[in-house]
Amino acid sequence: MDKMKVTYEAMLSLAAEMALDEAVRKFRAERIYREIDQSLVAGDEDTFYRLAKELNEMK
């Protein structure tokens, strides 16, 4: 019974870590999309390409 509890806790911890990683990834992607939009409005080509590269590296 104790071994099952340890296994369950490990699986629960892994699931929580995966959910947190996904939330952080979504947050970063949304931030990058906003900054890309701002760079397009400002006509800042260098920032646009840098952010587009960063976004592609996330995928």
Side-chain angles (χ1 to χ4, degrees):
M1 188 69 155
D2 202 33
K3 185 176 180 181
M4 285 181 56
K5 182 179 177 185
V6 170
T7 301
Y8 174 75
E9 288 175 354
M11 291 177 63
L12 190 60
S13 175
L14 180 59
E17 185 176 344
M18 289 171 62
L20 181 60
D21 287 347
E22 180 65 15
V24 169
R25 188 195 64 75
K26 282 183 180 181
F27 177 81
R28 287 183 61 216
E30 288 173 6
R31 179 190 55 83
I32 292 171
Y33 278 120
R34 279 195 310 272
E35 290 181 16
I36 285 174
D37 288 344
Q38 291 172 354
S39 70
L40 288 171
V41 168
D44 187 350
E45 194 174 315
D46 292 334
T47 301
F48 169 80
Y49 284 117
R50 179 181 55 79
L51 291 169
K53 180 180 177 187
E54 184 177 340
L55 186 61
N56 285 330
E57 289 173 354
M58 286 178 58
K59 296 180 180 186

